[in-house]
Amino acid sequence: MEESKMASKIAVLGLGSMGFGMARSMTRAGLDVSGYDVAPAAVERFVAEGGHGAGSPGEAVKGADIVVSVVVSGAQTEAVLFGPDGVAGAMKPGAVLVSSATMDPSIARDLAKRIESLGLHYLDAPISGGAAKAATGELTIMASGPPQAFAAARPALDCMAAKVYELGEAAGIGAAFKMINQLLAGVHIAAACEAIAFAAKQGLDLDKVYEVITASAGNSWMFQNRIPHVLAGDYTPLSAVEIFVKDLGIVQDMARAERYPVPLVAAALQMYLAASGAGMGRDDDSTLARLYAQLSGAQLPGKDKP
Amino acid sequence: MEESKMASKIAVLGLGSMGFGMARSMTRAGLDVSGYDVAPAAVERFVAEGGHGAGSPGEAVKGADIVVSVVVSGAQTEAVLFGPDGVAGAMKPGAVLVSSATMDPSIARDLAKRIESLGLHYLDAPISGGAAKAATGELTIMASGPPQAFAAARPALDCMAAKVYELGEAAGIGAAFKMINQLLAGVHIAAACEAIAFAAKQGLDLDKVYEVITASAGNSWMFQNRIPHVLAGDYTPLSAVEIFVKDLGIVQDMARAERYPVPLVAAALQMYLAASGAGMGRDDDSTLARLYAQLSGAQLPGKDKP
């Protein structure tokens, strides 16, 4: 049993900050991992770290028992599977597709149906935890799928995640959980930035605000995680504004389709859009604090300070 | 020194859920506390618990070294101090007014100036922690004021609070910190309710949503604290909708006056107003989840469930 796990052949499609860390976690655990990315430099980096580089998605998935797709969106996942040079038809019979991009649950349900019709398994497996947890193999995976899909994916899941939530048998459940998390995370970042720049506008000691709020009922995981970037005046992107332009956009589209009102998501999305439109799209999402400061004359720490 | 502390005479104005707990914490610690409330039943309850009941605010503050004002708003605080039968002129020379109502910092600055002009001390001392922490003497107090005001108030602060933040010498700083906390708390409750009812609309297992979110980046202190009320279908008010109608209203007014945009606060406030307008104003603030459910046909746990 242990031997058959070690013999698993894995393909990782997408070697960005998340996919690279996930692929590395598996090679480090002794799995045979072939990685592909549209950016040749990303493939070279993976090869330098001991992985196998693939020249095409098709080459990566050839003979793989587990294919982990870590592209940016549902549309990209569909393209990599069913577009020109799509790999779905080239996957080994009985292999499992571990689909980790954040997407509308309806897309996950559609992809699962099409993958399963080819005699393959589909695991709806969005990820949470950021690049740091990806690198250490300590992601949280919010997964749903039939037991066979979980069983087939297990060797990869064990290497990539500290915690795998098994949320149900139907595709789309994992995706829906991820979107609930993104709804909250996206609103909380915007609220944290609205609050800290408002504190700055009033001339409060921002380090003290951080100390008090993180010990009070106003705290959130995101306030605690992101506001140190604002206090340091360092907007190097750990997670960029464009991620939440995308993810709150998905939430808003889902909610509109379901006739569900999301006034907080809508307000937050407008701030991410404004930041992106103002040229901050590739900055760390905590740059929303700078946007609030620019709109109000508040003074934040960092190089914008007089 | 210890003896002089024990000899402090205290007045508590306002024996609601917060004021009653604070007054009780001080009597339990052996302080001599006289309590007043506009509702005679509240005074009787305090007497039954071993406090001194006062028939008027003036009677309560007579000879008191420390007057703790725990009314609902800045306007009520002003009325109790300077309105008809206001107690400011009746306070003992050198006594300290501990002002704990949540209010616009500009009101706190104005009240401090007027109190200090009478030869009294003013401590801007908003409280956080809810009725449970008030009852056990474990509040968080976000305080600002001159060293003499802190020194004079110390015996009371020591009995009421687990943590006293000393945030500066000027009145208004404590109030401003409290408003930053309320901004975040109010937005987070609305976001939590928007998220959990959206999860219900999608038919997700809500207990599982709670488990996953509280372990993920989407978590907030308020999500963790309030969503159990929704899961239990129990909207008995621990903190009512009207509190955030008031507090986000203060934040919005402050922000408007300072020309600072607060789109998330504005969106959240509309939901509290809608809940209040729909007759839920005295329910627990987590009832916002019911409002979202009513607006969308989502099914939440509890008696509304078919």
Side-chain angles (χ1 to χ4, degrees), chain A residues 92-103:
Chain A
K92 182 173 154 183
V96 60
L97 189 283
V98 177
S99 177
S100 291
T102 298
M103 66 183 73

Side-chain angles (χ1 to χ4, degrees), chain A residues 275-301:
Chain A
S276 178
M280 303 173 176
R282 288 164 182 270
D283 292 344
D284 191 71
D285 49 31
S286 60
T287 198
L288 258 60
R290 282 199 291 194
L291 178 64
Y292 279 101
Q294 287 173 13
L295 292 170
S296 64
Q299 297 291 342
L300 293 175

Side-chain angles (χ1 to χ4, degrees), chain B residues 185-210:
Chain B
V187 169
H188 292 168
I189 292 166
C193 293
E194 188 164 304
I196 199 71
F198 190 42
K201 175 74 175 173
Q202 295 171 77
L204 302 183
D205 176 336
L206 299 189
D207 292 319
K208 207 78 188 169
V209 170
Y210 184 76

Side-chain angles (χ1 to χ4, degrees), chain A residues 181 194 218-219 221 260 264-265, chain B residues 181 194 218-219 221 260 264:
Chain A
N181 186 67
E194 189 165 304
N219 196 28
W221 194 98
Y260 183 91
L264 273 81
V265 166
Chain B
N181 186 68
E194 188 164 304
N219 196 29
W221 194 98
Y260 182 92
L264 272 82

